[in-house]
Amino acid sequence: MLGALLATTCLSTSANGAPEELAPQTKLRLTVVQFVPSTGDYQRWDALGGDVEVAADGTVMVPTLGTIAVAGLGPEQLGAEIARRLKLKLGLLEAPDASIQVVEYPPVYVVGNVTNPGQYAFRPGMTVIHALALAGGENQIETATSLSGTIRLETDLNGLGSDILRSTARLARLDSEFAGRGEIEFPAELDANDPRIADILEQERRIFTARINGYERQQAGLTQLAQLFEAQIDTLDQKAHALEEQTARAQQQVDAISKLVAAGSATVSRLSDAERILADLRSDRLDNLLATMSARQNLNNAGRDLARLEDDHTAEVSIQLQTEQAALERLLLNQDATTRLLRQSVEFDRNLKLAGAMRISLNYAIMRQQNGQPATLDATEVSTLMPGDLVKVTMQIEPPTSSATAAVLGGSGAGSN
């Protein structure tokens, strides 16, 4: 309360003794009390008191009294005017005591070349430099990049170059594998005389050899399995021919014995033995036929597995080839973009050094309402602000001299000017 009263006192009169005007949006607190002689106490009129705000037209609304113009009135003068009007309005012998306390001042506004333009709370005694400090100070020249940023871009560019070399070598290896070549045909830009590139090429050769050997081992295994089934089928075919001959002879023997039994020259038991031998041969022929069919099925399966192995290998290499081509294209695009950024970063560092040699000064202006009209006032850092003022900060830049430019850039023409 004491701080607010002091603030009211400081702003109630100007330097020449004239009351300071209460600007629109100023929040006030009205307190009305009257001395009661019969009790010796002060009685508050809460129905008339309370918080009020200065309207845009320079008036305040007071209960019972209506609107009161505050032009040319400070808090003390406004309180006296309210007391006078209450005496007349209510027909009092003595005017009550009416006091006005400033609760909140209108904000000040800071625009122009500042870090955080906007509105800020006003404080009594505020100067231009105080408002500039609240707004974050002058707007510094952009420093989005720095030496560390340039180093990072150079590191990224070196890493992309290494990745491109590895991707190019990997692409040559996949292309050779897809084409069925016996060795890798590396492009000319991969200089094998460079030890770093030579290591990459050697790694790709080892991978190429390992993959080809693995594929050929699987291919050879399936081929040998098919040959085994073919040999088994040949053996079963030969066995089938032998069984057919044996079955034919056994049938002839059964037919001959049957005639002898009919003529009474041979016993039935001899015929039974011949028929049993014929039945066994026929059973062996059936088993041989089933074994031959199983072997042919296995041979077909081995053929399909071999064809599937070749198709899967071709598809796998094709997919890897396409994926690696897309990865190489992305790396090349990233390399191009990073190269552009690095050039801009280097150029920015150069311009930043030039900016450091520039002479920069700030100009200030205050826009204030005077007698209801906007006015622009020249100001300095120590100019005192009023509630509702707008501070405009303008940066004035003077380019560096030729000698300063040459010194910053390390040029040889510094002495010529």
Side-chain angles (χ1 to χ4, degrees):
M1 178 70 73
L2 180 58
L5 291 174
L6 290 176
T8 302
T9 303
C10 292
L11 288 178
S12 62
T13 58
S14 61
N16 57 10
E20 296 288 352
E21 292 188 5
L22 295 173
Q25 299 183 17
T26 302
K27 295 182 180 180
L28 307 174
R29 181 164 296 157
L30 169 62
T31 304
V32 181
V33 298
Q34 185 181 31
F35 181 70
V36 181
S38 59
T39 61
D41 295 327
Y42 284 91
Q43 180 180 2
R44 289 182 54 138
W45 293 2
D46 293 333
L48 297 177
D51 293 343
V52 295
E53 182 175 339
V54 180
D57 59 356
T59 62
V60 294
M61 174 64 71
V62 180
T64 302
L65 300 180
T67 59
I68 300 177
V70 299
L73 299 179
E76 184 177 349
Q77 290 78 15
L78 178 59
E81 177 64 16
I82 292 174
R84 184 185 68 80
R85 294 193 183 195
L86 285 174
K87 177 183 176 183
L88 295 176
K89 179 76 173 180
L90 301 177
L92 302 175
L93 295 177
E94 296 290 338
D97 292 331
S99 62
I100 292 292
Q101 174 188 349
V102 178
V103 177
E104 183 179 336
Y105 295 100
V108 294
Y109 303 88
V110 186
V111 298
N113 292 102
V114 293
T115 303
N116 300 307
Q119 68 176 32
Y120 297 92
F122 174 83
R123 294 291 181 269
M126 179 181 287
T127 62
V128 170
I129 193 65
H130 293 151
L132 182 63
L134 290 175
E138 64 186 79
N139 192 14
Q140 301 292 331
I141 298 176
E142 286 292 335
T143 56
T145 187
S146 62
L147 181 59
S148 60
T150 302
I151 294 175
R152 178 181 57 80
L153 288 172
E154 290 177 346
T155 303
D156 292 345
L157 193 60
N158 291 334
L160 286 171
S162 178
D163 291 342
I164 288 173
L165 288 176
R166 293 184 180 278
S167 182
T168 303
R170 191 178 302 116
L171 196 60
R173 185 251 300 170
L174 291 171
D175 184 66
S176 298
E177 187 174 351
F178 183 77
R181 302 188 188 100
E183 60 181 14
I184 306 175
E185 295 182 1
F186 292 108
E189 60 264 24
L190 297 178
D191 186 7
N193 295 324
D194 187 334
R196 184 165 59 99
I197 297 178
D199 290 340
I200 295 175
L201 302 184
E202 181 60 28
Q203 292 174 5
E204 292 300 327
R205 290 191 184 96
R206 292 178 181 176
I207 296 174
F208 178 80
T209 302
R211 286 176 59 87
I212 293 299
N213 290 341
Y215 170 69
E216 289 179 348
R217 280 196 297 269
Q218 295 181 37
Q219 192 178 42
L222 290 174
T223 301
Q224 291 174 3
L225 184 61
Q227 292 173 352
L228 177 63
F229 289 135
E230 289 176 351
Q232 183 180 7
I233 291 171
D234 290 339
T235 302
L236 290 172
D237 287 341
Q238 295 175 9
K239 184 177 180 181
H241 291 305
L243 288 173
E244 287 177 359
E245 293 177 357
Q246 293 176 10
T247 302
R249 288 195 296 269
Q251 183 65 50
Q252 293 174 357
Q253 187 175 6
V254 168
D255 292 342
I257 294 175
S258 296
K259 292 177 180 180
L260 292 175
V261 170
S265 300
T267 63
V268 176
S269 60
R270 182 180 176 187
L271 178 60
S272 299
D273 291 339
E275 289 177 343
R276 184 173 57 257
I277 293 173
L278 178 60
D280 290 341
L281 289 173
R282 288 175 176 174
S283 177
D284 291 343
R285 285 183 61 194
L286 181 60
D287 292 341
N288 187 76
L289 178 61
L290 293 176
T292 302
M293 294 175 62
S294 177
R296 292 187 183 280
Q297 181 65 34
N298 291 334
L299 178 60
N300 291 334
N301 291 338
R304 284 197 299 268
D305 291 342
L306 182 59
R308 186 183 301 113
L309 174 65
E310 295 174 352
D311 293 341
D312 291 346
H313 178 74
T314 302
E316 178 188 0
V317 176
S318 178
I319 292 174
Q320 291 182 358
L321 187 61
Q322 294 176 357
T323 303
E324 195 61 40
Q325 287 174 340
L328 180 58
E329 290 176 0
R330 288 194 298 269
L331 288 172
L332 291 173
L333 290 175
N334 289 338
Q335 184 187 46
D336 182 66
T338 305
T339 301
R340 292 173 182 265
L341 289 175
L342 181 58
R343 290 173 181 171
Q344 293 178 0
S345 178
V346 172
E347 182 66 19
F348 186 87
D349 290 342
R350 173 181 174 275
N351 293 336
L352 196 60
K353 292 178 181 179
L354 284 176
M358 293 180 180
R359 290 173 290 179
I360 302 175
S361 60
L362 297 179
N363 296 328
Y364 308 99
I366 298 175
M367 299 183 68
R368 178 180 299 167
Q369 291 287 334
Q370 292 185 340
N371 299 322
Q373 298 294 327
T376 302
L377 310 174
D378 292 334
T380 64
E381 293 180 348
V382 296
S383 296
T384 303
L385 298 178
M386 298 295 295
D389 280 353
L390 184 146
V391 180
K392 184 176 182 180
V393 182
T394 306
M395 182 179 294
Q396 182 176 354
I397 301 176
E398 297 181 14
T401 62
S402 299
S403 58
T405 301
V408 168
L409 300 180
S412 59
S416 61
N417 293 325

